[in-house]
Every structure is written in C-alpha cells, then in structure tokens.
Amino acid sequence: MNRWLSTRLAKPAWFGAALLPALWLLLAALTDQLGANPAEALIRATGDWTLRMLCVVLAITPVRVTFGMPVLARFRRMAGLFVYFYVVLHLLAYSGFDMGFDVADIAKDIAKRPFILVGFSAFVLLTPLALTSFNRAIRALGGRRWQALHRLIYAIALLALLHFFWMRAGKNNFAEVAVYAAVIGTLLAWRIAKNLREKSS
C-alpha cells in the first residue's frame, strides 16, 4: 500500500475519489434525480460530505501512525482542501436555495438560528486553514505558528458535529449523529492520548 500511494497515480486517484460525490450530485441535479425537494437534498448532501471529508482529515494521522504509513501525510493537504470545497458548496446551496442570496436575510438567519450560527462559525474558522494550506504560507507563518493555527481543525470538527446534531434534533433523528460523534470522538481521543504519551516520555 505504501508503495502504491507513493506513485504518481495516487494523488490523481485520491483527487478523483474526493471529487466524485460532487460530480454525482451535479449529474443527479441535471437529471432530476434528487427527489421531491432537490434544494434540500443538495444542502444536506453537501453538508454530509463536508463532515465525511472532515473525518477523513482527522483519520489520516491516526492511520498513518498506527499502521506505519508515512506516505499518507502527502494527502492531508488535499483532503483538507476538499473539506473546504464541500463546505463552500454547502454554504452556497443554503445561501442560494434557502435564502436567495439575500445577504441581509442570511445575516438575520445566522443570528436567529443557533445551528446556522455554529455551522457558519465552523466555516469562518476553516477559511484561514484553507488559505494557509500552501508552502508559501507555511514559510511565511513559520512551522510553529502554522501548526498552532491548523489545530483549529479539532474545534471545527466539534462545531460541525454540533451543527449536525442541532439540524437533526428538529426531526428527532440521531442515528447518523451518533455514528459521526463516535468516529470524531475516537479520533480526538487518539490525539489526546498521543499528546499525553509524548509529554510523559
């Protein structure tokens, strides 16, 4: 696996796999395959894929360390940018289909509904991470400051999970929330345990 992930084809394959859900949603929208409420389907699907990509980002380091796959580090940046790609699609779908791109109405909705505020906060925190995911930004910030900034991903994951929880709470549907909470909780617990081991050694 390490050998294959080191090849030139690995990154294009990773890119294609991460882009596939967006292409499927586009095709489904063009062929009227999104059900009775296509706008809601697009908003939910892009939000779901944002959360899934976030789980992928959080899983890269635990998988890399646990299974001895250092080559996975080369895919973390792309995975992180796909988190931002899907959250932008999610925000655009909400802004366009729900709010008609009316900035005043969007601002009122963010202030009025806590789950929208939490989701928007996660987007705001994610933006500087996306903007500094390049070598020039890393050099400009310096390694320590860049790492400190990118630790925001853990707070972003918790905000995204809370956003998802509140969104599903309105319909008393917590099954998927429990799955994501278990995945994110396990990945964050692994990171905490690793930091504690490093401090004690």
PDB file of all heavy atoms in Angstrom, residues 44 48 115 162-171:
ATOM      1  N   ARG A  44     -28.341  19.160   2.203  1.00  0.00           N
ATOM      2  CA  ARG A  44     -27.989  18.084   3.133  1.00  0.00           C
ATOM      3  C   ARG A  44     -26.797  17.272   2.631  1.00  0.00           C
ATOM      4  O   ARG A  44     -25.904  16.925   3.415  1.00  0.00           O
ATOM      5  CB  ARG A  44     -29.188  17.162   3.344  1.00  0.00           C
ATOM      6  CG  ARG A  44     -30.273  17.775   4.203  1.00  0.00           C
ATOM      7  CD  ARG A  44     -31.256  16.732   4.650  1.00  0.00           C
ATOM      8  NE  ARG A  44     -32.230  17.279   5.565  1.00  0.00           N
ATOM      9  CZ  ARG A  44     -33.162  16.552   6.174  1.00  0.00           C
ATOM     10  NH1 ARG A  44     -33.242  15.250   5.940  1.00  0.00           N
ATOM     11  NH2 ARG A  44     -34.011  17.122   7.004  1.00  0.00           N
ATOM     12  N   ASP A  48     -23.322  16.699   4.457  1.00  0.00           N
ATOM     13  CA  ASP A  48     -22.865  15.351   4.825  1.00  0.00           C
ATOM     14  C   ASP A  48     -21.456  15.091   4.319  1.00  0.00           C
ATOM     15  O   ASP A  48     -20.616  14.530   5.046  1.00  0.00           O
ATOM     16  CB  ASP A  48     -23.817  14.301   4.255  1.00  0.00           C
ATOM     17  CG  ASP A  48     -25.157  14.268   4.975  1.00  0.00           C
ATOM     18  OD1 ASP A  48     -25.262  14.867   6.059  1.00  0.00           O
ATOM     19  OD2 ASP A  48     -26.104  13.653   4.437  1.00  0.00           O
ATOM     20  N   PHE A 115     -28.075  26.772  15.216  1.00  0.00           N
ATOM     21  CA  PHE A 115     -27.370  25.754  14.445  1.00  0.00           C
ATOM     22  C   PHE A 115     -26.763  26.338  13.169  1.00  0.00           C
ATOM     23  O   PHE A 115     -25.715  25.880  12.704  1.00  0.00           O
ATOM     24  CB  PHE A 115     -28.285  24.545  14.167  1.00  0.00           C
ATOM     25  CG  PHE A 115     -29.047  24.587  12.882  1.00  0.00           C
ATOM     26  CD1 PHE A 115     -28.566  23.938  11.748  1.00  0.00           C
ATOM     27  CD2 PHE A 115     -30.266  25.238  12.799  1.00  0.00           C
ATOM     28  CE1 PHE A 115     -29.263  23.952  10.560  1.00  0.00           C
ATOM     29  CE2 PHE A 115     -30.983  25.253  11.616  1.00  0.00           C
ATOM     30  CZ  PHE A 115     -30.475  24.606  10.489  1.00  0.00           C
ATOM     31  N   LEU A 162     -21.778  19.636  16.248  1.00  0.00           N
ATOM     32  CA  LEU A 162     -22.878  20.310  16.940  1.00  0.00           C
ATOM     33  C   LEU A 162     -23.900  20.842  15.937  1.00  0.00           C
ATOM     34  O   LEU A 162     -25.120  20.739  16.163  1.00  0.00           O
ATOM     35  CB  LEU A 162     -22.322  21.443  17.801  1.00  0.00           C
ATOM     36  CG  LEU A 162     -23.334  22.244  18.623  1.00  0.00           C
ATOM     37  CD1 LEU A 162     -24.112  21.338  19.571  1.00  0.00           C
ATOM     38  CD2 LEU A 162     -22.630  23.365  19.391  1.00  0.00           C
ATOM     39  N   HIS A 163     -23.420  21.411  14.849  1.00  0.00           N
ATOM     40  CA  HIS A 163     -24.298  21.890  13.764  1.00  0.00           C
ATOM     41  C   HIS A 163     -25.159  20.747  13.241  1.00  0.00           C
ATOM     42  O   HIS A 163     -26.377  20.891  13.075  1.00  0.00           O
ATOM     43  CB  HIS A 163     -23.424  22.468  12.645  1.00  0.00           C
ATOM     44  CG  HIS A 163     -24.173  22.814  11.397  1.00  0.00           C
ATOM     45  ND1 HIS A 163     -25.035  23.883  11.313  1.00  0.00           N
ATOM     46  CD2 HIS A 163     -24.162  22.243  10.159  1.00  0.00           C
ATOM     47  CE1 HIS A 163     -25.533  23.957  10.083  1.00  0.00           C
ATOM     48  NE2 HIS A 163     -25.024  22.964   9.367  1.00  0.00           N
ATOM     49  N   PHE A 164     -24.555  19.592  13.006  1.00  0.00           N
ATOM     50  CA  PHE A 164     -25.268  18.427  12.503  1.00  0.00           C
ATOM     51  C   PHE A 164     -26.281  17.922  13.536  1.00  0.00           C
ATOM     52  O   PHE A 164     -27.410  17.563  13.198  1.00  0.00           O
ATOM     53  CB  PHE A 164     -24.247  17.334  12.161  1.00  0.00           C
ATOM     54  CG  PHE A 164     -24.819  16.164  11.426  1.00  0.00           C
ATOM     55  CD1 PHE A 164     -25.422  16.320  10.192  1.00  0.00           C
ATOM     56  CD2 PHE A 164     -24.739  14.879  11.964  1.00  0.00           C
ATOM     57  CE1 PHE A 164     -25.947  15.227   9.510  1.00  0.00           C
ATOM     58  CE2 PHE A 164     -25.245  13.788  11.292  1.00  0.00           C
ATOM     59  CZ  PHE A 164     -25.857  13.966  10.063  1.00  0.00           C
ATOM     60  N   PHE A 165     -25.866  17.902  14.804  1.00  0.00           N
ATOM     61  CA  PHE A 165     -26.755  17.453  15.882  1.00  0.00           C
ATOM     62  C   PHE A 165     -28.002  18.328  15.962  1.00  0.00           C
ATOM     63  O   PHE A 165     -29.133  17.831  16.022  1.00  0.00           O
ATOM     64  CB  PHE A 165     -25.998  17.479  17.210  1.00  0.00           C
ATOM     65  CG  PHE A 165     -26.886  17.309  18.412  1.00  0.00           C
ATOM     66  CD1 PHE A 165     -27.336  16.055  18.788  1.00  0.00           C
ATOM     67  CD2 PHE A 165     -27.266  18.422  19.166  1.00  0.00           C
ATOM     68  CE1 PHE A 165     -28.170  15.902  19.890  1.00  0.00           C
ATOM     69  CE2 PHE A 165     -28.089  18.267  20.269  1.00  0.00           C
ATOM     70  CZ  PHE A 165     -28.539  17.002  20.634  1.00  0.00           C
ATOM     71  N   TRP A 166     -27.804  19.650  15.984  1.00  0.00           N
ATOM     72  CA  TRP A 166     -28.952  20.548  16.094  1.00  0.00           C
ATOM     73  C   TRP A 166     -29.858  20.450  14.873  1.00  0.00           C
ATOM     74  O   TRP A 166     -31.081  20.561  14.981  1.00  0.00           O
ATOM     75  CB  TRP A 166     -28.475  21.985  16.284  1.00  0.00           C
ATOM     76  CG  TRP A 166     -28.366  22.376  17.720  1.00  0.00           C
ATOM     77  CD1 TRP A 166     -28.997  21.800  18.776  1.00  0.00           C
ATOM     78  CD2 TRP A 166     -27.588  23.451  18.257  1.00  0.00           C
ATOM     79  NE1 TRP A 166     -28.663  22.443  19.936  1.00  0.00           N
ATOM     80  CE2 TRP A 166     -27.802  23.457  19.660  1.00  0.00           C
ATOM     81  CE3 TRP A 166     -26.728  24.394  17.711  1.00  0.00           C
ATOM     82  CZ2 TRP A 166     -27.193  24.372  20.501  1.00  0.00           C
ATOM     83  CZ3 TRP A 166     -26.121  25.305  18.551  1.00  0.00           C
ATOM     84  CH2 TRP A 166     -26.350  25.304  19.930  1.00  0.00           C
ATOM     85  N   MET A 167     -29.249  20.248  13.701  1.00  0.00           N
ATOM     86  CA  MET A 167     -30.046  20.128  12.492  1.00  0.00           C
ATOM     87  C   MET A 167     -30.930  18.881  12.535  1.00  0.00           C
ATOM     88  O   MET A 167     -32.106  18.911  12.183  1.00  0.00           O
ATOM     89  CB  MET A 167     -29.108  20.081  11.276  1.00  0.00           C
ATOM     90  CG  MET A 167     -29.826  20.164   9.938  1.00  0.00           C
ATOM     91  SD  MET A 167     -30.136  18.557   9.214  1.00  0.00           S
ATOM     92  CE  MET A 167     -28.469  17.987   8.906  1.00  0.00           C
ATOM     93  N   ARG A 168     -30.373  17.760  13.026  1.00  0.00           N
ATOM     94  CA  ARG A 168     -31.142  16.519  13.111  1.00  0.00           C
ATOM     95  C   ARG A 168     -32.073  16.492  14.320  1.00  0.00           C
ATOM     96  O   ARG A 168     -33.048  15.741  14.335  1.00  0.00           O
ATOM     97  CB  ARG A 168     -30.190  15.323  13.153  1.00  0.00           C
ATOM     98  CG  ARG A 168     -29.470  15.086  11.817  1.00  0.00           C
ATOM     99  CD  ARG A 168     -30.485  14.804  10.721  1.00  0.00           C
ATOM    100  NE  ARG A 168     -29.878  14.706   9.422  1.00  0.00           N
ATOM    101  CZ  ARG A 168     -29.493  13.548   8.869  1.00  0.00           C
ATOM    102  NH1 ARG A 168     -29.613  12.419   9.554  1.00  0.00           N
ATOM    103  NH2 ARG A 168     -28.963  13.543   7.670  1.00  0.00           N
ATOM    104  N   ALA A 169     -31.785  17.289  15.337  1.00  0.00           N
ATOM    105  CA  ALA A 169     -32.620  17.308  16.544  1.00  0.00           C
ATOM    106  C   ALA A 169     -34.038  17.751  16.235  1.00  0.00           C
ATOM    107  O   ALA A 169     -34.998  17.304  16.877  1.00  0.00           O
ATOM    108  CB  ALA A 169     -32.006  18.220  17.601  1.00  0.00           C
ATOM    109  N   GLY A 170     -34.182  18.614  15.235  1.00  0.00           N
ATOM    110  CA  GLY A 170     -35.513  19.086  14.857  1.00  0.00           C
ATOM    111  C   GLY A 170     -36.420  17.975  14.377  1.00  0.00           C
ATOM    112  O   GLY A 170     -37.647  18.090  14.436  1.00  0.00           O
ATOM    113  N   LYS A 171     -35.823  16.888  13.899  1.00  0.00           N
ATOM    114  CA  LYS A 171     -36.622  15.764  13.398  1.00  0.00           C
ATOM    115  C   LYS A 171     -36.424  14.500  14.231  1.00  0.00           C
ATOM    116  O   LYS A 171     -36.809  13.406  13.814  1.00  0.00           O
ATOM    117  CB  LYS A 171     -36.264  15.492  11.935  1.00  0.00           C
ATOM    118  CG  LYS A 171     -36.603  16.671  11.022  1.00  0.00           C
ATOM    119  CD  LYS A 171     -36.436  16.326   9.560  1.00  0.00           C
ATOM    120  CE  LYS A 171     -36.865  17.497   8.683  1.00  0.00           C
ATOM    121  NZ  LYS A 171     -36.724  17.205   7.237  1.00  0.00           N
TER     122      LYS A 171
END
